[in-house]
Amino acid sequence: MIKLFQNQQELVKQLTEKELLLHLFLTQVLCLIISMILAYFLFDDLSSFLSIWELDWQEILLFGGLTALLIILVDFWMMKIFPFEWLDDGGINERIFQKRTIPEIFVLTFLISFSEELLFRGVLQTHFGIVISSIIFAILHFRYLSKWLLLIMVTAISFIVGFVYEWTGNLWTTIFSHFLIDFVLALYIRFQYIFSTKKGGGSDQ
């Protein structure tokens, strides 16, 4: 497992910025395609599929926002108390977000949150339950499998967001929560990079 993680780190280093972004987009498009195929066979009809989408802004902002805030605060707290090596994902998130503009970060994090929540919450959890969907979610984030703390974190986050979906029955709530978490943490990576380049006397590309 450690060797797999090291191999992935080397692969990430070899990819260009365009190749890394292309890989990200293709992964999310594949996620959307799988979601739609599964939804076609698992939902009884279109109305049952549409029933999980409700634009209740009060519910979305309240439950989605509070869930995201809790997870973000815990995430930053863990960054303070644990060694960097324990939370290092191999540099993938840094490569993806550190040189992106804020509008690009917005688009990327919305795409990721929408496609993943549709598959793991909207389709898998709706039909197979929170445990199955959360386990699959953790396994597919395979770059965390060699990092026990990251694995615990991503599994816990999946269960927390899954409970919010169970409580509200509204996919937009978990999409917003997932988006807000990714967007804030991506902005953190971006501004850390800007600060480090200015401090080091480099120029931000």
Side-chain angles (χ1 to χ4, degrees):
M1 189 62 67
I2 294 176
K3 186 175 180 181
L4 176 63
F5 181 74
Q6 292 173 339
N7 289 340
Q8 189 189 43
Q9 284 183 306
E10 292 302 317
L11 179 61
V12 170
K13 291 177 182 177
Q14 294 172 10
L15 292 175
T16 66
E17 295 292 330
K18 289 184 178 179
E19 289 172 338
L20 195 59
L21 280 177
L22 178 61
H23 181 270
L24 174 64
F25 274 112
L26 290 177
T27 301
Q28 300 309 313
V29 169
L30 179 61
C31 190
L32 287 171
I33 292 172
I34 292 172
S35 298
M36 297 313 297
I37 292 173
L38 290 176
Y40 178 80
F41 289 104
L42 293 174
F43 283 93
D44 294 331
D45 48 42
L46 181 60
S47 63
S48 61
F49 176 71
L50 295 177
S51 67
I52 65 174
W53 306 84
E54 185 178 354
L55 277 176
D56 183 338
W57 289 107
Q58 183 176 356
E59 183 177 76
I60 293 168
L61 295 174
L62 180 60
F63 291 105
L66 287 178
T67 302
L69 178 62
L70 171 64
I71 292 171
I72 290 167
L73 290 175
V74 171
D75 209 343
F76 279 118
W77 174 71
M78 296 184 77
M79 290 181 196
K80 291 288 186 182
I81 66 171
F82 290 107
F84 171 78
E85 293 76 17
W86 292 19
L87 299 170
D88 179 24
D89 71 340
I92 294 178
N93 287 333
E94 284 75 13
R95 287 288 309 279
I96 292 173
F97 294 116
Q98 66 184 6
K99 294 183 180 180
R100 305 275 78 80
T101 65
I102 292 178
E104 287 173 339
I105 290 173
F106 182 93
V107 171
L108 286 173
T109 52
F110 180 77
L111 174 63
I112 292 167
S113 59
F114 184 90
S115 61
E116 291 189 356
E117 289 305 309
L118 174 58
L119 176 59
F120 294 105
R121 243 61 64 180
V123 176
L124 294 180
Q125 183 172 329
T126 298
H127 293 90
F128 303 106
I130 187 174
V131 175
I132 297 297
S133 64
S134 295
I135 290 174
I136 295 174
F137 182 83
I139 291 173
L140 291 183
H141 286 72
F142 62 91
R143 69 181 185 271
Y144 299 151
L145 296 181
S146 64
K147 299 276 187 168
W148 65 269
L149 183 57
L150 284 176
L151 182 61
I152 291 173
M153 288 173 62
V154 75
T155 304
I157 289 171
S158 182
F159 271 100
I160 291 169
V161 175
F163 281 126
V164 173
Y165 180 63
E166 289 285 314
W167 179 265
T168 64
N170 187 355
L171 193 60
W172 282 119
T173 305
T174 62
I175 289 173
F176 177 67
S177 182
H178 191 153
F179 162 75
L180 202 55
I181 295 165
D182 287 357
F183 185 65
V184 170
L185 295 178
L187 287 179
Y188 175 75
I189 292 171
R190 170 61 178 159
F191 288 118
Q192 260 200 329
Y193 173 74
I194 292 174
F195 177 76
S196 65
T197 54
K198 288 183 178 179
K199 186 176 179 180
S203 60
D204 179 31
Q205 300 295 323

